[in-house]
């Protein structure tokens, strides 16, 4: 069994009568940047929730570094950016990051919060309540929150949705730097161009089944679109 | 254990900070408790003879209903932006989340009692100074059991559709024994002064507290984690 990456073995997830994932096999090696595409309702978010430990598979198993995410030591190494920001509206940007840093056992929560606020260009707004932030600023703060413990594995669920051009550029640069640092990243997106620009591997999920999983090298945006349409319409 | 305490402290301080800024628990709970004791004061024809008899029941009804209103807020804060998922993604032991929420709710209820009881004593013309220490013990232990169970039920009901309705429906029947013991012990102090009565009920309250705090601490992770 692979010990240093993410591994899904025959993962099936049911919500009552609805089967969201059907025996998904997936391997993301350490240092890979895996981008997952798929139509709405394909099961992408469910797969990500299982991988980051928010949901349990109905059958099969999902592991990170050979361990299930419910183990607290592994959770230390995982950062998640979801549709929801996980931020407290009544806390300031700095307080939010310091709070999460403390929960992750970071040694100097305040200093780490400052450093991350600078990296997402929100340092000037460090004393403002998260509830007063725009969608783009909230998303940037959410990115900083996911990085407080300097995770080795990062899960991103449509992180570019609602971002303005400035925020999207900051975020894309941040993603590239994470990839250069050999972090293992799994990103769900509908934006083919952005996904392809950062991906080392690409997957397509359709009705709970992984119908495509290849390296991104040699893939162009036109080719990707063609493959996507083919696989989704098949 | 050290990590558990550190995490509990971090979540508790966060809750205190957000509460001091929003005052949703303290503001609403105080107003509700005040209204209950004032309305009962007018509703019953109180005399020096019947006042101590009725007072303990009214006092615990005021804290029961206002406290139930307050604890429903403690997990609502975590539902905004799905912060509860953010908490469960961290390596923090789920018990720390429960302990922090429990301690926060307990602290806020004690603050309400510190504000309400002097008003209550004046309105109902009671002399509780004679047994002030014993009165404090019974209030604290009653609050402890109430919040131990209430925090768990609030965590269950926050994910349900009719949460505002279901919290009292689920919680109040389970609290009936505690309220009977607590009101009985309070009555023993301010009315009859029967210490045997007081101590027998105190033992039952302690048993309730131990059982429900332990069970809630153990069950919480199954409630907060999605199946």
């Amino acid at each position: 069994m692979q010990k240093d990456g993410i591994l899904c073995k025959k993962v099936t997830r049911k919500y009552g009568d609805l089967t969201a994932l059907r025996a998904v096999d997936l391997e993301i090696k350490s240092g890979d940047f895996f981008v997952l595409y798929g139509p709405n309702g394909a099961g992408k978010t469910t797969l990500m929730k299982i991988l980051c430990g928010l949901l349990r598979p109905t059958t099969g198993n999902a592991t990170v570094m050979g361990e299930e995410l419910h183990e607290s030591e592994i959770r230390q190494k995982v950062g998640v950016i979801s549709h929801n920001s996980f931020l407290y509206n009544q806390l300031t940007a700095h307080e939010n990051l310091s709070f999460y840093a403390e929960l992750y056992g970071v040694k100097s929560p305040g200093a780490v919060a400052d450093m991350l606020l600078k990296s997402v260009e929100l340092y000037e707004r460090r004393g403002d309540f998260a509830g007063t932030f725009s969608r783009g600023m909230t998303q940037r703060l959410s990115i900083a929150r996911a990085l407080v413990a300097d995770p080795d594995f990062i899960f991103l669920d449509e992180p570019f949705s609602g971002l303005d051009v400035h925020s999207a550029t900051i975020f894309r640069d941040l993603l590239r730097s994470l990839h250069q640092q050999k972090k293992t990243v799994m990103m769900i997106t509908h934006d083919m161009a952005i996904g392809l620009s950062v991906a080392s591997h690409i997957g397509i999920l359709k009705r709970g089944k992984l119908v495509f999983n290849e390296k991104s090298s040699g893939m162009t945006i036109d080719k990707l679109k063609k493959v996507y349409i083919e696989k989704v319409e098949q | 254990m050290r990590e558990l305490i550190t995490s509990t402290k971090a979540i508790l301080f966060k809750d205190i900070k957000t509460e001091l800024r929003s005052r949703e628990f303290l503001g609403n709970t105080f107003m509700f408790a005040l209204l209950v004791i004032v309305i009962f004061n007018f509703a019953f024809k109180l005399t020096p003879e019947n006042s101590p008899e009725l007072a303990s029941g009214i006092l615990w009804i005021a804290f029961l209903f206002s406290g139930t209103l307050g604890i429903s807020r403690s997990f609502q804060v975590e539902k905004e932006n799905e912060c509860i998922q953010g908490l469960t993604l961290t390596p923090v032991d789920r018990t720390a989340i429960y302990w922090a929420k429990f301690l926060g709710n307990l602290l806020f209820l004690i603050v309400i009692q510190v504000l309400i009881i002097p008003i209550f004593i004046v309105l109902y013309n009671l002399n509780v100074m004679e047994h002030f220490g014993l009165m404090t013990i019974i209030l604290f232990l009653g609050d402890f059991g109430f919040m131990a169970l209430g925090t768990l039920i609030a965590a269950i009901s926050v994910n349900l559709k009719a949460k505002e309705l279901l919290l009292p429906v689920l919680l109040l029947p389970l609290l009936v024994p505690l309220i009977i013991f607590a009101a009985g012990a309070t009555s023993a102090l301010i009315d009859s002064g029967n210490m045997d009565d007081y101590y027998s009920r105190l033992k039952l309250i302690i048993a309730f507290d131990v059982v429900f705090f332990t069970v809630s601490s153990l069950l919480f992770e199954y409630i907060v984690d999605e199946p």
Side-chain angles (χ1 to χ4, degrees):
Chain A
M1 183 189 280
Q2 187 199 337
K3 284 274 182 186
D4 60 348
I6 300 166
L7 190 65
C8 276
K9 271 187 172 176
K10 301 268 176 248
V11 167
T12 296
R13 171 70 201 197
K14 291 183 179 180
Y15 296 103
D17 294 336
L18 179 82
T19 306
L21 291 176
R22 298 160 198 270
V24 172
D25 285 313
L26 173 66
E27 185 180 348
I28 305 173
K29 291 200 172 100
S30 184
D32 281 356
F33 198 121
F34 182 78
V35 174
L36 185 64
Y37 299 104
N40 293 329
K44 304 183 295 295
T45 300
T46 300
L47 179 62
M48 199 194 83
K49 278 188 166 182
I50 287 173
L51 288 174
C52 67
L54 283 174
L55 276 179
R56 290 171 203 260
T58 309
T59 56
N61 71 336
T63 56
V64 172
M65 292 178 76
E67 286 184 50
E68 287 194 15
L69 255 293
H70 296 283
E71 304 294 323
S72 71
E73 279 176 28
I74 288 294
R75 291 206 301 265
Q76 181 80 33
K77 296 176 179 175
V78 172
V80 178
I81 299 166
S82 154
H83 294 290
N84 301 109
S85 66
F86 308 151
L87 297 168
Y88 293 91
N89 291 339
Q90 296 95 339
L91 295 185
T92 65
H94 188 267
E95 285 168 348
N96 264 296
L97 296 189
S98 299
F99 169 65
Y100 277 107
E102 217 175 324
L103 294 186
Y104 276 99
V106 171
K107 275 189 182 159
S108 314
V112 168
D114 281 340
M115 189 261 292
L116 285 166
L117 284 167
K118 281 176 189 163
S119 73
V120 294
E121 298 190 14
L122 282 174
Y123 188 74
E124 306 301 316
R125 302 288 302 269
R126 68 197 291 275
D128 292 348
F129 291 118
T132 65
F133 281 11
S134 68
R135 167 82 183 127
M137 289 161 71
T138 303
Q139 190 71 332
R140 273 148 64 192
L141 188 58
S142 178
I143 292 158
R145 176 200 49 73
L147 301 176
V148 284
D150 191 21
D152 294 327
F153 298 88
I154 300 158
F155 295 95
L156 312 147
D157 192 357
E158 293 180 32
F160 288 94
S161 68
L163 289 189
D164 58 39
V165 177
H166 176 235
S167 301
T169 310
I170 293 169
F171 188 44
R172 204 177 314 163
D173 293 344
L174 200 66
L175 285 182
R176 286 201 179 109
S177 96
L178 291 173
H179 191 35
Q180 281 160 10
Q181 290 168 47
K182 297 285 172 205
K183 306 277 186 192
T184 310
V185 183
M186 177 186 170
M187 181 168 83
I188 294 170
T189 182
H190 288 293
D191 192 319
M192 300 243 166
I194 285 179
L196 189 60
S197 72
V198 289
S200 68
H201 291 72
I202 289 168
I204 298 172
L205 199 67
K206 183 199 164 191
R207 287 189 197 154
K209 278 194 95 76
L210 195 64
V211 290
F212 181 81
N213 185 6
E214 298 280 336
K215 280 188 176 177
S216 67
S217 54
M219 184 73 83
T220 61
I221 186 74
D222 291 334
K223 200 173 161 189
L224 177 60
K225 280 181 182 168
K226 202 177 153 195
V227 170
Y228 181 83
I229 299 290
E230 261 174 32
K231 294 290 175 189
V232 168
E233 285 184 350
Q234 213 169 47
Chain B
M1 192 63 185
R2 208 177 137 194
E3 280 172 12
L4 190 66
I5 292 166
T6 310
S7 310
T8 305
K9 225 167 67 182
I11 300 168
L12 175 64
F13 286 165
K14 182 270 295 173
D15 281 351
I16 292 171
K17 205 181 273 181
T18 52
E19 175 54 31
L20 289 177
R21 284 172 186 167
S22 69
R23 295 201 183 95
E24 282 179 349
F25 188 117
L26 294 172
N28 295 334
T29 309
F30 174 75
M31 281 312 295
F32 195 90
L34 185 65
L35 271 174
V36 171
I37 60 167
V38 169
I39 289 168
F40 274 117
N41 187 256
F42 285 107
F44 292 114
K45 203 169 186 180
L46 294 170
T47 62
E49 289 76 37
N50 72 6
S51 184
E53 216 172 276
L54 291 170
S56 62
I58 294 168
L59 186 69
W60 279 103
I61 284 171
F63 294 143
L64 179 67
F65 289 136
S66 59
T68 304
L69 191 72
I71 49 174
S72 68
R73 279 302 306 164
S74 62
F75 281 95
Q76 297 274 8
V77 174
E78 303 297 342
K79 283 304 282 181
E80 286 171 9
N81 301 328
E82 289 295 339
C83 291
I84 190 71
Q85 286 189 3
L87 285 183
T88 55
L89 282 167
T90 66
V92 163
D93 192 320
R94 275 46 170 161
T95 310
I97 304 173
Y98 170 74
W99 285 1
K101 290 286 166 194
F102 159 74
L103 287 171
N105 289 335
L106 183 63
L107 178 72
F108 299 144
L109 187 63
I110 290 170
V111 170
I112 295 301
Q113 289 179 335
V114 167
L115 297 170
I116 286 291
I117 286 174
I119 303 169
F120 181 79
I121 290 169
V122 173
L123 276 177
Y124 290 80
N125 194 24
L126 298 171
N127 178 16
V128 294
M129 295 316 287
E130 196 186 335
H131 300 295
F132 184 76
L134 295 175
M135 183 76 161
T136 308
I137 289 171
I138 210 72
L139 281 170
F140 176 77
L141 292 175
D143 294 349
F144 190 100
F146 177 14
M147 288 306 161
L149 187 55
T151 304
L152 182 77
I153 304 292
I156 294 170
S157 67
V158 78
N159 288 316
L160 304 174
K161 275 181 189 164
K163 47 184 166 284
E164 291 84 1
L165 184 70
L166 282 170
L167 175 64
V169 168
L170 293 171
L171 178 62
L172 298 182
L174 293 169
L175 283 175
V176 166
L178 177 75
I179 299 303
I180 291 171
F181 303 148
T186 312
S187 177
L189 282 181
I190 59 181
D191 183 16
S192 62
N194 185 338
M195 286 300 115
D196 288 343
D197 249 15
Y198 173 84
Y199 285 111
S200 67
R201 280 168 180 149
L202 187 71
K203 281 179 204 164
L204 292 168
I205 293 171
I206 291 170
F208 184 99
D209 289 0
V210 170
V211 169
F212 280 101
F213 183 72
T214 310
V215 168
S216 300
S217 298
L218 295 172
L219 286 183
F220 189 76
E221 72 170 298
Y222 300 101
I223 287 157
V224 85
D225 280 338
E226 284 190 56

PDB file of all heavy atoms in Angstrom, chain A residues 194-208:
ATOM      1  N   ILE A 194      -7.653  27.383 -15.973  1.00  0.00           N
ATOM      2  CA  ILE A 194      -6.941  27.548 -14.694  1.00  0.00           C
ATOM      3  C   ILE A 194      -6.468  26.188 -14.190  1.00  0.00           C
ATOM      4  O   ILE A 194      -5.316  26.028 -13.779  1.00  0.00           O
ATOM      5  CB  ILE A 194      -7.838  28.244 -13.641  1.00  0.00           C
ATOM      6  CG1 ILE A 194      -7.949  29.733 -13.966  1.00  0.00           C
ATOM      7  CG2 ILE A 194      -7.281  28.061 -12.237  1.00  0.00           C
ATOM      8  CD1 ILE A 194      -8.824  30.524 -13.026  1.00  0.00           C
ATOM      9  N   GLY A 195      -7.350  25.207 -14.254  1.00  0.00           N
ATOM     10  CA  GLY A 195      -6.994  23.862 -13.786  1.00  0.00           C
ATOM     11  C   GLY A 195      -5.796  23.310 -14.538  1.00  0.00           C
ATOM     12  O   GLY A 195      -4.836  22.811 -13.940  1.00  0.00           O
ATOM     13  N   LEU A 196      -5.852  23.449 -15.867  1.00  0.00           N
ATOM     14  CA  LEU A 196      -4.770  22.904 -16.692  1.00  0.00           C
ATOM     15  C   LEU A 196      -3.447  23.625 -16.451  1.00  0.00           C
ATOM     16  O   LEU A 196      -2.367  23.016 -16.514  1.00  0.00           O
ATOM     17  CB  LEU A 196      -5.162  23.003 -18.181  1.00  0.00           C
ATOM     18  CG  LEU A 196      -4.255  22.302 -19.173  1.00  0.00           C
ATOM     19  CD1 LEU A 196      -4.176  20.803 -18.900  1.00  0.00           C
ATOM     20  CD2 LEU A 196      -4.729  22.539 -20.607  1.00  0.00           C
ATOM     21  N   SER A 197      -3.540  24.932 -16.118  1.00  0.00           N
ATOM     22  CA  SER A 197      -2.313  25.709 -15.926  1.00  0.00           C
ATOM     23  C   SER A 197      -1.534  25.283 -14.676  1.00  0.00           C
ATOM     24  O   SER A 197      -0.354  25.581 -14.550  1.00  0.00           O
ATOM     25  CB  SER A 197      -2.637  27.209 -15.865  1.00  0.00           C
ATOM     26  OG  SER A 197      -3.287  27.501 -14.648  1.00  0.00           O
ATOM     27  N   VAL A 198      -2.199  24.624 -13.747  1.00  0.00           N
ATOM     28  CA  VAL A 198      -1.494  24.228 -12.514  1.00  0.00           C
ATOM     29  C   VAL A 198      -1.384  22.700 -12.334  1.00  0.00           C
ATOM     30  O   VAL A 198      -0.583  22.229 -11.523  1.00  0.00           O
ATOM     31  CB  VAL A 198      -2.175  24.828 -11.252  1.00  0.00           C
ATOM     32  CG1 VAL A 198      -1.963  26.320 -11.163  1.00  0.00           C
ATOM     33  CG2 VAL A 198      -3.659  24.496 -11.214  1.00  0.00           C
ATOM     34  N   ALA A 199      -2.155  21.946 -13.130  1.00  0.00           N
ATOM     35  CA  ALA A 199      -2.260  20.499 -12.871  1.00  0.00           C
ATOM     36  C   ALA A 199      -1.046  19.695 -13.314  1.00  0.00           C
ATOM     37  O   ALA A 199      -0.405  20.012 -14.318  1.00  0.00           O
ATOM     38  CB  ALA A 199      -3.501  19.957 -13.574  1.00  0.00           C
ATOM     39  N   SER A 200      -0.744  18.641 -12.557  1.00  0.00           N
ATOM     40  CA  SER A 200       0.201  17.631 -13.040  1.00  0.00           C
ATOM     41  C   SER A 200      -0.590  16.394 -13.494  1.00  0.00           C
ATOM     42  O   SER A 200      -0.130  15.644 -14.333  1.00  0.00           O
ATOM     43  CB  SER A 200       1.197  17.254 -11.943  1.00  0.00           C
ATOM     44  OG  SER A 200       0.545  16.571 -10.901  1.00  0.00           O
ATOM     45  N   HIS A 201      -1.782  16.230 -12.929  1.00  0.00           N
ATOM     46  CA  HIS A 201      -2.656  15.131 -13.315  1.00  0.00           C
ATOM     47  C   HIS A 201      -4.095  15.652 -13.405  1.00  0.00           C
ATOM     48  O   HIS A 201      -4.471  16.559 -12.660  1.00  0.00           O
ATOM     49  CB  HIS A 201      -2.610  13.988 -12.293  1.00  0.00           C
ATOM     50  CG  HIS A 201      -1.310  13.257 -12.283  1.00  0.00           C
ATOM     51  ND1 HIS A 201      -0.165  13.812 -11.784  1.00  0.00           N
ATOM     52  CD2 HIS A 201      -0.976  12.017 -12.738  1.00  0.00           C
ATOM     53  CE1 HIS A 201       0.828  12.943 -11.912  1.00  0.00           C
ATOM     54  NE2 HIS A 201       0.363  11.851 -12.495  1.00  0.00           N
ATOM     55  N   ILE A 202      -4.858  15.042 -14.282  1.00  0.00           N
ATOM     56  CA  ILE A 202      -6.240  15.493 -14.482  1.00  0.00           C
ATOM     57  C   ILE A 202      -7.191  14.303 -14.369  1.00  0.00           C
ATOM     58  O   ILE A 202      -6.890  13.217 -14.867  1.00  0.00           O
ATOM     59  CB  ILE A 202      -6.382  16.131 -15.891  1.00  0.00           C
ATOM     60  CG1 ILE A 202      -5.638  17.477 -15.921  1.00  0.00           C
ATOM     61  CG2 ILE A 202      -7.843  16.341 -16.280  1.00  0.00           C
ATOM     62  CD1 ILE A 202      -5.470  18.022 -17.310  1.00  0.00           C
ATOM     63  N   GLY A 203      -8.328  14.553 -13.712  1.00  0.00           N
ATOM     64  CA  GLY A 203      -9.343  13.505 -13.617  1.00  0.00           C
ATOM     65  C   GLY A 203     -10.712  14.053 -13.983  1.00  0.00           C
ATOM     66  O   GLY A 203     -10.950  15.256 -13.838  1.00  0.00           O
ATOM     67  N   ILE A 204     -11.565  13.193 -14.481  1.00  0.00           N
ATOM     68  CA  ILE A 204     -12.944  13.603 -14.757  1.00  0.00           C
ATOM     69  C   ILE A 204     -13.875  12.608 -14.057  1.00  0.00           C
ATOM     70  O   ILE A 204     -13.725  11.396 -14.201  1.00  0.00           O
ATOM     71  CB  ILE A 204     -13.242  13.636 -16.280  1.00  0.00           C
ATOM     72  CG1 ILE A 204     -12.323  14.666 -16.975  1.00  0.00           C
ATOM     73  CG2 ILE A 204     -14.710  13.986 -16.543  1.00  0.00           C
ATOM     74  CD1 ILE A 204     -12.397  14.655 -18.496  1.00  0.00           C
ATOM     75  N   LEU A 205     -14.796  13.187 -13.290  1.00  0.00           N
ATOM     76  CA  LEU A 205     -15.760  12.358 -12.557  1.00  0.00           C
ATOM     77  C   LEU A 205     -17.133  12.535 -13.196  1.00  0.00           C
ATOM     78  O   LEU A 205     -17.557  13.672 -13.463  1.00  0.00           O
ATOM     79  CB  LEU A 205     -15.798  12.810 -11.096  1.00  0.00           C
ATOM     80  CG  LEU A 205     -16.366  11.869 -10.055  1.00  0.00           C
ATOM     81  CD1 LEU A 205     -15.485  10.637  -9.879  1.00  0.00           C
ATOM     82  CD2 LEU A 205     -16.475  12.578  -8.702  1.00  0.00           C
ATOM     83  N   LYS A 206     -17.799  11.429 -13.455  1.00  0.00           N
ATOM     84  CA  LYS A 206     -19.134  11.510 -14.045  1.00  0.00           C
ATOM     85  C   LYS A 206     -20.056  10.531 -13.318  1.00  0.00           C
ATOM     86  O   LYS A 206     -19.750   9.340 -13.240  1.00  0.00           O
ATOM     87  CB  LYS A 206     -19.049  11.152 -15.527  1.00  0.00           C
ATOM     88  CG  LYS A 206     -20.361  11.258 -16.269  1.00  0.00           C
ATOM     89  CD  LYS A 206     -20.289  10.458 -17.555  1.00  0.00           C
ATOM     90  CE  LYS A 206     -21.655  10.230 -18.103  1.00  0.00           C
ATOM     91  NZ  LYS A 206     -21.631   9.255 -19.194  1.00  0.00           N
ATOM     92  N   ARG A 207     -21.129  11.050 -12.804  1.00  0.00           N
ATOM     93  CA  ARG A 207     -22.115  10.245 -12.051  1.00  0.00           C
ATOM     94  C   ARG A 207     -21.444   9.291 -11.057  1.00  0.00           C
ATOM     95  O   ARG A 207     -21.745   8.104 -11.017  1.00  0.00           O
ATOM     96  CB  ARG A 207     -22.997   9.464 -13.016  1.00  0.00           C
ATOM     97  CG  ARG A 207     -23.987  10.357 -13.729  1.00  0.00           C
ATOM     98  CD  ARG A 207     -24.983   9.540 -14.492  1.00  0.00           C
ATOM     99  NE  ARG A 207     -25.654  10.349 -15.471  1.00  0.00           N
ATOM    100  CZ  ARG A 207     -26.189   9.861 -16.582  1.00  0.00           C
ATOM    101  NH1 ARG A 207     -26.110   8.591 -16.851  1.00  0.00           N
ATOM    102  NH2 ARG A 207     -26.793  10.659 -17.429  1.00  0.00           N
ATOM    103  N   GLY A 208     -20.503   9.825 -10.318  1.00  0.00           N
ATOM    104  CA  GLY A 208     -19.871   9.041  -9.263  1.00  0.00           C
ATOM    105  C   GLY A 208     -18.775   8.099  -9.716  1.00  0.00           C
ATOM    106  O   GLY A 208     -18.236   7.336  -8.909  1.00  0.00           O
TER     107      GLY A 208
END
